[in-house]
DNA sequence: GCAGTGACTTACA
DNA sequence: TTGTAAGCCACTG
């Protein structure tokens, strides 16, 4: 039920709704999920998420760093973002 | 119910 | 500017 939706589900829903060419920080995702300070929890959710429908590569650190990626690491993540035109290098 | 873990964030030296 | 330390939150065993 939607009433029993967990923080995990919210995080996945938020990330899944990130439009192509847009990046959000872990803090931004956490805020949209309901907890602005749960940036670490966001990482936990994406870490266990292997759904290709979730563009977890569009979630980066508040510092602008890419962070990690469960499908190839920062390098792979940067390639995906570059392919979308989010970053130029 | 408690403790541990982690793809993070912020502050200070 | 860079590195270290502590804090915060949600989920699992």
């Amino acid at each position: 039920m939607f009433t029993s939706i967990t923080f995990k589900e919210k995080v996945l829903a938020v990330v899944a709704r990130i439009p192509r060419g847009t990046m959000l920080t872990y803090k931004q995702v956490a805020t949209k999920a309901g907890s602005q300070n749960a940036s670490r929890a966001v990482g936990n959710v994406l870490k266990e998420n292997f759904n290709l429908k979730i563009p977890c590569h569009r979630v980066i650190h508040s510092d602008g760093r890419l962070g990690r990626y469960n499908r190839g690491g920062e390098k792979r993540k940067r390639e995906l973002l570059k392919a979308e035109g989010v970053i130029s290098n």
Side-chain angles (χ1 to χ4, degrees):
Chain A
M1 298 291 280
F2 295 110
T3 51
S4 57
I5 188 170
T6 61
F7 180 78
K8 185 195 296 184
E9 296 296 319
K10 287 186 178 180
V11 171
L12 296 175
V14 171
V15 177
R17 291 179 181 180
I18 299 176
R20 179 181 170 283
T22 302
M23 290 194 302
L24 288 181
T25 65
Y26 285 94
K27 187 187 291 187
Q28 289 282 64
V29 175
T31 301
K32 292 176 180 296
S35 299
Q36 196 267 318
N37 299 344
S39 55
R40 281 179 100 159
V42 173
N44 279 336
V45 174
L46 299 181
K47 181 181 70 171
E48 297 183 15
N49 171 62
F50 282 84
N51 189 345
L52 299 177
K53 298 287 187 180
I54 310 298
C56 44
H57 63 273
R58 291 177 188 155
V59 185
I60 61 173
H61 290 215
S62 62
D63 299 87
R65 295 189 182 282
L66 303 183
R68 297 184 69 160
Y69 188 55
N70 63 359
R71 302 297 285 179
E74 295 183 51
K75 192 173 183 178
R76 182 68 179 180
K77 193 169 182 177
R78 188 168 60 178
E79 291 296 318
L80 290 169
L81 293 172
K82 202 160 51 170
E84 295 186 357
V86 183
I87 60 177
S88 47
N89 193 6

